[in-house]
Structures are given as C-alpha cells and as structure tokens.
Amino acid sequence: IAGFELTMVDRGSEVLRKRVIVGKPFRQTPVFSDQIEYLVFNPTWTVPRTIMLQDQLPQILKDPDYLARLNISVYRGWGADRVRIDPAMIDWSALGKNNFPYQLVQEPGPQNALGQVKFMLPNQYDVYLHDTPGRGLFAKSERTFSSGCIRVEQPFDLAERLLAGSPNWSRAR
C-alpha cells in the first residue's frame, strides 16, 4: 500500500509488478491478507453506502444528469426483491444518512468505476482489486485516490497471469 505497487510472486520469483492506486487518507485501504478467488469481466458497480451518501448524493443534487451520464441505475430495496426506480421520481433533497432506501448500481461500460475487470478476494472490508477508467492517475508519484479498493495499472496483464493454464482462456477471450 505504502509503495503504491502490486507485486506478483510465483514460486519465490517476481513475475509481475504494477502501479496501484490506493485509498485516500480519510478512506485508507486496510492492511490485510487474502486470496483472489475469481475475476469478473465487465462488472457492475454497486455503490457502497458511504460513497452513495458522501460522494454521489451531493453530485446528484448539483447535477440532474449525473446518474444518466455515468450510466447509474437506481433501485429501491436489495437482492432479488429490489425494484428499478426512475431517478426523476425521487426527491433527492429529502434523502440523507437516516433516509436512503436506494441502491445505486453503475452498469458496465467505459465509465464504470471498476473498469473492465474486478479481482474478487472476499474479505471483511469489501476491498478488491480492479481496473479503472482513470488511467492517467497512475502517472502520479503519490497515488491515494480511491475509496479503499485497489486500482491496478494494466489489469489485463494480471488477469492473464492469474488465468494462465486455465482451459479456454486467453487474453483475446
């Protein structure tokens, strides 16, 4: 985290090194250890509650086209019982910490905050590695721009390494 790097080691040898973007000082990436269990290509992004309230709601209030421009759908409820809602039918100014019965879900696409691939390592912090549409941020020397998850530079290089030897998988696929 402190070095803003991901290092992949195979049998004691470094096989891949990539720059990463980690959590902002007020939303730091936690230190933990876990294993990647699976990958998701072209993921949706279900916006975490903290980000919905602190980041997204102020943007929605300032810009009526914000949700449509970023391809974000609004749902009332959770899981199989959730229902898609027209954002124009919501009084956004009446919502807050104790009154936000919605889920915001960004659909896959070029603006999706998770980019084109997400590396899942289920953990207590809900932190994972993922791509990003903001690739220019990797050029910065200090890369604390995320809300806790880890954005990986050139994530398809990592995906290709992780899926090496898997039948029916190639970089092209």
Side-chain angles (χ1 to χ4, degrees):
I1 296 170
F4 309 112
E5 284 188 332
L6 174 143
T7 305
M8 183 178 195
V9 177
D10 185 15
R11 296 179 192 94
S13 297
E14 181 181 311
V15 295
L16 185 74
R17 182 181 296 261
K18 295 294 175 188
R19 289 181 275 193
V20 298
I21 294 169
V22 298
K24 300 171 188 175
F26 57 92
R27 288 193 191 142
Q28 293 183 353
T29 300
V31 176
F32 68 99
S33 177
D34 212 327
Q35 294 183 8
I36 295 173
E37 293 185 13
Y38 61 96
L39 283 64
V40 178
F41 291 99
N42 299 312
T44 59
W45 178 45
T46 301
V47 182
R49 183 168 175 76
T50 300
I51 296 173
M52 280 192 301
L53 293 169
Q54 294 178 8
D55 301 344
Q56 305 289 324
L57 184 55
Q59 291 295 327
I60 295 165
L61 291 169
K62 278 195 268 185
D63 179 2
D65 296 325
Y66 179 79
L67 295 171
R69 193 175 64 257
L70 292 178
N71 201 19
I72 297 175
S73 300
V74 180
Y75 295 90
R76 177 184 289 279
W78 287 259
D81 295 332
R82 74 182 188 180
V83 178
R84 192 170 181 164
I85 303 291
D86 179 354
M89 305 308 294
I90 298 171
D91 179 3
W92 294 98
S93 63
L95 301 176
K97 180 180 175 184
N98 297 319
N99 178 31
F100 202 97
Y102 303 106
Q103 241 186 351
L104 302 179
V105 178
Q106 189 175 35
E107 303 302 328
Q111 295 187 45
N112 184 289
L114 304 181
Q116 294 179 302
V117 61
K118 176 170 67 167
F119 303 86
M120 296 303 298
L121 47 158
N123 60 78
Q124 65 183 353
Y125 306 105
D126 289 328
V127 166
Y128 40 85
L129 288 81
H130 63 83
D131 184 12
T132 180
R135 293 191 176 95
L137 295 175
F138 289 106
K140 308 272 185 191
S141 58
E142 192 168 313
R143 294 182 293 278
T144 54
F145 302 109
S146 85
S147 291
C149 285
I150 302 164
R151 302 178 199 173
V152 180
E153 181 182 38
Q154 300 170 330
F156 284 99
D157 292 352
L158 177 60
E160 187 173 39
R161 287 253 180 208
L162 291 171
L163 294 171
S166 297
N168 302 320
W169 283 104
S170 67
R171 188 175 187 103
R173 186 161 192 293

